């Protein structure tokens, strides 16, 4: 009975933790929003539109990284066929930098 309670508690804790994002996300969101408002990077909506014109599908992951002083959006897109595509866009210009199918 003790193992069942411990397991139930662990499952509940994991479920609760998955609902609350880490505090770091709030800082990242503010930074990204400031970059968008300043015009330094394009909005996610603009990048999503560009990605879907290249490969129609559902965006499943997005990251914003800084590489050699340049912001880059990394997008993962899932096609209806089940293929996953990884795309990289210059966050300032929206230019496609890389397109490859994920294994």
């Amino acid at each position: 009975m003790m193992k069942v309670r411990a397991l139930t508690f662990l499952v509940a804790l994991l479920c609760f933790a998955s609902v609350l994002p880490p505090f770091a996300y709030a800082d990242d969101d503010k930074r990204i929003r400031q970059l968008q408002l300043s015009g330094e990077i394009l909005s996610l909506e603009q990048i999503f539109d560009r990605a879907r014109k290249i490969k129609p599908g559902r965006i499943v992951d997005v990251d914003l990284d800084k590489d050699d002083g340049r912001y880059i959006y990394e997008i993962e897109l899932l096609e209806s066929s089940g293929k996953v595509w990884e795309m990289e866009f210059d966050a300032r210009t929206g230019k496609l930098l890389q397109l490859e199918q994920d294994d």
Side-chain angles (χ1 to χ4, degrees):
M1 185 68 172
M2 186 65 159
K3 285 184 179 181
V4 172
R5 284 187 186 165
L7 184 59
T8 303
F9 174 75
L10 181 60
V11 169
L13 181 63
L14 290 173
C15 289
F16 181 74
S18 68
V19 174
L20 299 175
F23 292 108
Y25 288 156
D27 291 339
D28 286 345
D29 288 347
K30 285 180 187 178
R31 179 179 61 90
I32 291 168
R33 192 72 189 133
Q34 288 172 343
L35 290 168
Q36 289 173 344
L37 291 173
S38 72
E40 194 168 340
I41 64 172
L42 297 175
S43 70
L44 282 174
E45 292 81 17
Q46 291 171 299
I47 296 297
F48 288 172
D49 287 344
R50 291 170 192 248
R52 288 189 185 112
K53 285 179 183 171
I54 296 166
K55 293 288 180 186
R58 183 170 58 100
I59 306 293
V60 294
D61 191 26
V62 61
D63 290 312
L64 178 66
D65 293 325
K66 194 168 187 178
D67 188 20
D68 293 330
R70 176 168 70 170
Y71 285 103
I72 296 176
Y73 279 115
E74 296 176 358
I75 306 288
E76 282 190 20
L77 183 138
L78 175 66
E79 285 184 314
S80 60
S81 67
K83 292 180 183 175
V84 176
W85 292 90
E86 293 180 0
M87 302 177 189
E88 289 186 4
F89 291 91
D90 182 298
R92 186 178 56 78
T93 66
K95 179 182 176 187
L96 179 66
L97 303 173
Q98 183 175 339
L99 172 64
E100 63 183 30
Q101 186 175 347
D102 194 18
D103 294 329

